[in-house]
mmCIF file of all heavy atoms in Angstrom:
data_model
loop_
_atom_site.group_PDB
_atom_site.id
_atom_site.type_symbol
_atom_site.label_atom_id
_atom_site.label_comp_id
_atom_site.label_asym_id
_atom_site.label_seq_id
_atom_site.Cartn_x
_atom_site.Cartn_y
_atom_site.Cartn_z
ATOM 1 N N LEU T 13 84.074 158.414 65.835
ATOM 2 C CA LEU T 13 82.650 158.149 65.599
ATOM 3 C C LEU T 13 81.936 158.276 66.917
ATOM 4 O O LEU T 13 82.476 157.837 67.985
ATOM 5 C CB LEU T 13 82.461 156.691 65.108
ATOM 6 C CG LEU T 13 82.771 156.387 63.677
ATOM 7 C CD1 LEU T 13 82.737 154.889 63.445
ATOM 8 C CD2 LEU T 13 81.797 157.086 62.742
ATOM 9 N N SER T 14 80.764 158.838 66.900
ATOM 10 C CA SER T 14 79.965 158.927 68.122
ATOM 11 C C SER T 14 78.463 158.829 67.765
ATOM 12 O O SER T 14 78.109 158.787 66.586
ATOM 13 C CB SER T 14 80.248 160.234 68.848
ATOM 14 O OG SER T 14 79.968 161.333 68.044
ATOM 15 N N GLU T 15 77.676 158.769 68.798
ATOM 16 C CA GLU T 15 76.213 158.549 68.596
ATOM 17 C C GLU T 15 75.679 159.651 67.686
ATOM 18 O O GLU T 15 76.053 160.783 67.730
ATOM 19 C CB GLU T 15 75.541 158.642 69.969
ATOM 20 C CG GLU T 15 74.133 158.123 69.956
ATOM 21 C CD GLU T 15 73.563 157.921 71.345
ATOM 22 O OE1 GLU T 15 74.149 158.343 72.339
ATOM 23 O OE2 GLU T 15 72.499 157.320 71.457
ATOM 24 N N GLY T 16 74.843 159.187 66.764
ATOM 25 C CA GLY T 16 74.284 160.085 65.744
ATOM 26 C C GLY T 16 74.878 159.918 64.384
ATOM 27 O O GLY T 16 74.259 160.308 63.388
ATOM 28 N N ALA T 17 76.077 159.338 64.274
ATOM 29 C CA ALA T 17 76.726 159.100 62.991
ATOM 30 C C ALA T 17 75.954 158.044 62.196
ATOM 31 O O ALA T 17 75.494 157.052 62.807
ATOM 32 C CB ALA T 17 78.174 158.720 63.177
ATOM 33 N N LYS T 18 75.866 158.199 60.894
ATOM 34 C CA LYS T 18 75.196 157.233 60.028
ATOM 35 C C LYS T 18 76.007 157.142 58.750
ATOM 36 O O LYS T 18 75.948 158.050 57.923
ATOM 37 C CB LYS T 18 73.777 157.670 59.699
ATOM 38 C CG LYS T 18 72.847 157.687 60.881
ATOM 39 C CD LYS T 18 71.443 158.110 60.513
ATOM 40 C CE LYS T 18 70.592 158.212 61.764
ATOM 41 N NZ LYS T 18 69.234 158.541 61.472
ATOM 42 N N ASN T 19 76.831 156.125 58.641
ATOM 43 C CA ASN T 19 77.668 155.948 57.457
ATOM 44 C C ASN T 19 78.304 154.543 57.433
ATOM 45 O O ASN T 19 78.056 153.748 58.341
ATOM 46 C CB ASN T 19 78.738 157.063 57.340
ATOM 47 C CG ASN T 19 79.619 157.113 58.542
ATOM 48 O OD1 ASN T 19 80.056 156.119 59.075
ATOM 49 N ND2 ASN T 19 79.909 158.350 58.990
ATOM 50 N N THR T 20 79.108 154.288 56.415
ATOM 51 C CA THR T 20 79.705 152.990 56.283
ATOM 52 C C THR T 20 80.801 152.740 57.324
ATOM 53 O O THR T 20 81.099 151.587 57.634
ATOM 54 C CB THR T 20 80.316 152.755 54.882
ATOM 55 O OG1 THR T 20 81.296 153.808 54.625
ATOM 56 C CG2 THR T 20 79.252 152.823 53.782
ATOM 57 N N ALA T 21 81.385 153.816 57.881
ATOM 58 C CA ALA T 21 82.365 153.622 58.966
ATOM 59 C C ALA T 21 81.673 153.012 60.193
ATOM 60 O O ALA T 21 82.277 152.151 60.875
ATOM 61 C CB ALA T 21 83.009 154.961 59.296
ATOM 62 N N VAL T 22 80.473 153.414 60.452
ATOM 63 C CA VAL T 22 79.677 152.834 61.581
ATOM 64 C C VAL T 22 79.450 151.356 61.309
ATOM 65 O O VAL T 22 79.602 150.525 62.212
ATOM 66 C CB VAL T 22 78.366 153.619 61.771
ATOM 67 C CG1 VAL T 22 77.536 152.921 62.900
ATOM 68 C CG2 VAL T 22 78.636 155.074 62.155
ATOM 69 N N THR T 23 79.080 151.035 60.074
ATOM 70 C CA THR T 23 78.865 149.630 59.719
ATOM 71 C C THR T 23 80.138 148.795 59.966
ATOM 72 O O THR T 23 80.047 147.669 60.518
ATOM 73 C CB THR T 23 78.472 149.520 58.222
ATOM 74 O OG1 THR T 23 77.302 150.331 57.962
ATOM 75 C CG2 THR T 23 78.157 148.081 57.827
ATOM 76 N N ALA T 24 81.300 149.330 59.597
ATOM 77 C CA ALA T 24 82.554 148.591 59.837
ATOM 78 C C ALA T 24 82.789 148.382 61.348
ATOM 79 O O ALA T 24 83.158 147.310 61.756
ATOM 80 C CB ALA T 24 83.724 149.373 59.229
ATOM 81 N N LEU T 25 82.540 149.416 62.148
ATOM 82 C CA LEU T 25 82.710 149.299 63.555
ATOM 83 C C LEU T 25 81.737 148.262 64.108
ATOM 84 O O LEU T 25 82.134 147.416 64.979
ATOM 85 C CB LEU T 25 82.478 150.680 64.243
ATOM 86 C CG LEU T 25 82.491 150.682 65.776
ATOM 87 C CD1 LEU T 25 83.882 150.241 66.298
ATOM 88 C CD2 LEU T 25 82.100 152.060 66.276
ATOM 89 N N GLN T 26 80.476 148.333 63.704
ATOM 90 C CA GLN T 26 79.496 147.368 64.176
ATOM 91 C C GLN T 26 79.903 145.940 63.824
ATOM 92 O O GLN T 26 79.777 144.997 64.617
ATOM 93 C CB GLN T 26 78.136 147.684 63.598
ATOM 94 C CG GLN T 26 77.552 148.960 64.128
ATOM 95 C CD GLN T 26 76.345 149.486 63.343
ATOM 96 O OE1 GLN T 26 76.282 149.280 62.148
ATOM 97 N NE2 GLN T 26 75.414 150.123 64.036
ATOM 98 N N ARG T 27 80.408 145.696 62.593
ATOM 99 C CA ARG T 27 80.827 144.368 62.183
ATOM 100 C C ARG T 27 82.025 143.889 63.057
ATOM 101 O O ARG T 27 82.089 142.737 63.443
ATOM 102 C CB ARG T 27 81.253 144.350 60.721
ATOM 103 C CG ARG T 27 80.061 144.430 59.764
ATOM 104 C CD ARG T 27 80.505 144.302 58.307
ATOM 105 N NE ARG T 27 80.829 142.892 58.054
ATOM 106 C CZ ARG T 27 82.012 142.452 57.633
ATOM 107 N NH1 ARG T 27 82.966 143.318 57.394
ATOM 108 N NH2 ARG T 27 82.263 141.166 57.455
ATOM 109 N N MET T 28 82.933 144.861 63.364
ATOM 110 C CA MET T 28 84.117 144.488 64.189
ATOM 111 C C MET T 28 83.644 144.027 65.560
ATOM 112 O O MET T 28 84.109 143.011 66.081
ATOM 113 C CB MET T 28 85.032 145.709 64.307
ATOM 114 C CG MET T 28 85.763 146.018 62.977
ATOM 115 S SD MET T 28 86.379 147.726 62.871
ATOM 116 C CE MET T 28 87.495 147.877 64.202
ATOM 117 N N MET T 29 82.702 144.732 66.152
ATOM 118 C CA MET T 29 82.204 144.370 67.481
ATOM 119 C C MET T 29 81.387 143.059 67.464
ATOM 120 O O MET T 29 81.498 142.276 68.354
ATOM 121 C CB MET T 29 81.406 145.530 68.089
ATOM 122 C CG MET T 29 82.250 146.727 68.412
ATOM 123 S SD MET T 29 81.392 148.007 69.372
ATOM 124 C CE MET T 29 80.101 148.534 68.179
ATOM 125 N N TYR T 30 80.593 142.885 66.394
ATOM 126 C CA TYR T 30 79.787 141.669 66.257
ATOM 127 C C TYR T 30 80.626 140.431 66.182
ATOM 128 O O TYR T 30 80.465 139.478 66.914
ATOM 129 C CB TYR T 30 78.907 141.786 65.031
ATOM 130 C CG TYR T 30 78.013 140.605 64.773
ATOM 131 C CD1 TYR T 30 76.713 140.585 65.292
ATOM 132 C CD2 TYR T 30 78.430 139.468 64.033
ATOM 133 C CE1 TYR T 30 75.887 139.491 65.071
ATOM 134 C CE2 TYR T 30 77.610 138.425 63.836
ATOM 135 C CZ TYR T 30 76.340 138.422 64.363
ATOM 136 O OH TYR T 30 75.503 137.340 64.143
ATOM 137 N N TYR T 31 81.630 140.447 65.281
ATOM 138 C CA TYR T 31 82.451 139.274 64.981
ATOM 139 C C TYR T 31 83.590 139.077 66.016
ATOM 140 O O TYR T 31 83.933 137.911 66.355
ATOM 141 C CB TYR T 31 83.001 139.290 63.575
ATOM 142 C CG TYR T 31 81.942 139.046 62.547
ATOM 143 C CD1 TYR T 31 81.483 140.058 61.755
ATOM 144 C CD2 TYR T 31 81.361 137.764 62.393
ATOM 145 C CE1 TYR T 31 80.501 139.860 60.799
ATOM 146 C CE2 TYR T 31 80.374 137.541 61.432
ATOM 147 C CZ TYR T 31 79.949 138.593 60.654
ATOM 148 O OH TYR T 31 78.965 138.368 59.725
ATOM 149 N N CYS T 32 84.225 140.133 66.427
ATOM 150 C CA CYS T 32 85.446 140.015 67.262
ATOM 151 C C CYS T 32 85.187 140.114 68.749
ATOM 152 O O CYS T 32 86.011 139.704 69.559
ATOM 153 C CB CYS T 32 86.434 141.076 66.854
ATOM 154 S SG CYS T 32 86.935 140.909 65.107
ATOM 155 N N TYR T 33 84.036 140.697 69.135
ATOM 156 C CA TYR T 33 83.765 140.916 70.535
ATOM 157 C C TYR T 33 82.406 140.394 71.021
ATOM 158 O O TYR T 33 81.878 140.817 72.052
ATOM 159 C CB TYR T 33 83.930 142.401 70.891
ATOM 160 C CG TYR T 33 85.367 142.864 70.658
ATOM 161 C CD1 TYR T 33 85.732 143.458 69.477
ATOM 162 C CD2 TYR T 33 86.354 142.587 71.600
ATOM 163 C CE1 TYR T 33 87.029 143.807 69.210
ATOM 164 C CE2 TYR T 33 87.667 142.918 71.332
ATOM 165 C CZ TYR T 33 88.016 143.541 70.157
ATOM 166 O OH TYR T 33 89.315 143.885 69.913
ATOM 167 N N SER T 34 81.857 139.482 70.251
ATOM 168 C CA SER T 34 80.608 138.783 70.583
ATOM 169 C C SER T 34 79.446 139.671 70.908
ATOM 170 O O SER T 34 78.591 139.325 71.745
ATOM 171 C CB SER T 34 80.858 137.838 71.796
ATOM 172 O OG SER T 34 81.837 136.888 71.457
ATOM 173 N N GLU T 35 79.326 140.762 70.168
ATOM 174 C CA GLU T 35 78.150 141.680 70.350
ATOM 175 C C GLU T 35 77.115 141.198 69.327
ATOM 176 O O GLU T 35 76.749 141.849 68.378
ATOM 177 C CB GLU T 35 78.578 143.123 70.125
ATOM 178 C CG GLU T 35 79.448 143.691 71.196
ATOM 179 C CD GLU T 35 78.745 143.829 72.545
ATOM 180 O OE1 GLU T 35 77.506 143.852 72.595
ATOM 181 O OE2 GLU T 35 79.454 143.886 73.557
ATOM 182 N N LYS T 36 76.579 139.988 69.614
ATOM 183 C CA LYS T 36 75.671 139.314 68.673
ATOM 184 C C LYS T 36 74.280 139.981 68.545
ATOM 185 O O LYS T 36 73.565 139.724 67.598
ATOM 186 C CB LYS T 36 75.516 137.826 69.048
ATOM 187 C CG LYS T 36 76.870 137.100 69.061
ATOM 188 C CD LYS T 36 77.549 137.153 67.699
ATOM 189 C CE LYS T 36 78.814 136.330 67.718
ATOM 190 N NZ LYS T 36 79.681 136.556 66.594
ATOM 191 N N SER T 37 73.885 140.800 69.486
ATOM 192 C CA SER T 37 72.623 141.486 69.341
ATOM 193 C C SER T 37 72.723 142.767 68.479
ATOM 194 O O SER T 37 71.708 143.391 68.140
ATOM 195 C CB SER T 37 72.068 141.861 70.728
ATOM 196 O OG SER T 37 72.909 142.802 71.353
ATOM 197 N N LEU T 38 73.905 143.089 68.097
ATOM 198 C CA LEU T 38 74.140 144.310 67.302
ATOM 199 C C LEU T 38 74.002 144.035 65.839
ATOM 200 O O LEU T 38 74.521 143.097 65.296
ATOM 201 C CB LEU T 38 75.597 144.813 67.606
ATOM 202 C CG LEU T 38 75.951 146.174 67.135
ATOM 203 C CD1 LEU T 38 75.110 147.258 67.782
ATOM 204 C CD2 LEU T 38 77.431 146.427 67.468
ATOM 205 N N SER T 39 73.215 144.890 65.137
ATOM 206 C CA SER T 39 73.057 144.756 63.712
ATOM 207 C C SER T 39 73.929 145.756 63.005
ATOM 208 O O SER T 39 74.158 146.868 63.493
ATOM 209 C CB SER T 39 71.630 144.911 63.255
ATOM 210 O OG SER T 39 71.191 146.238 63.540
ATOM 211 N N ALA T 40 74.493 145.400 61.869
ATOM 212 C CA ALA T 40 75.377 146.272 61.128
ATOM 213 C C ALA T 40 74.546 147.105 60.168
ATOM 214 O O ALA T 40 74.484 146.869 58.978
ATOM 215 C CB ALA T 40 76.423 145.465 60.351
#
């Protein structure tokens, strides 16, 4: 995945970073 992608895989990555790596400013 890289910049420009728009799909559910990006949502999963964003959720992983939000919950597991304290990226609280990131929206899924």
Side-chain angles (χ1 to χ4, degrees):
L13 282 170
S14 58
E15 195 168 11
K18 295 179 182 183
N19 57 41
T20 59
V22 176
T23 304
L25 175 62
Q26 291 167 328
R27 287 186 73 240
M28 291 158 60
M29 292 189 295
Y30 181 92
Y31 289 107
C32 300
Y33 296 96
S34 298
E35 291 294 338
K36 300 303 182 192
S37 64
L38 192 61
S39 64

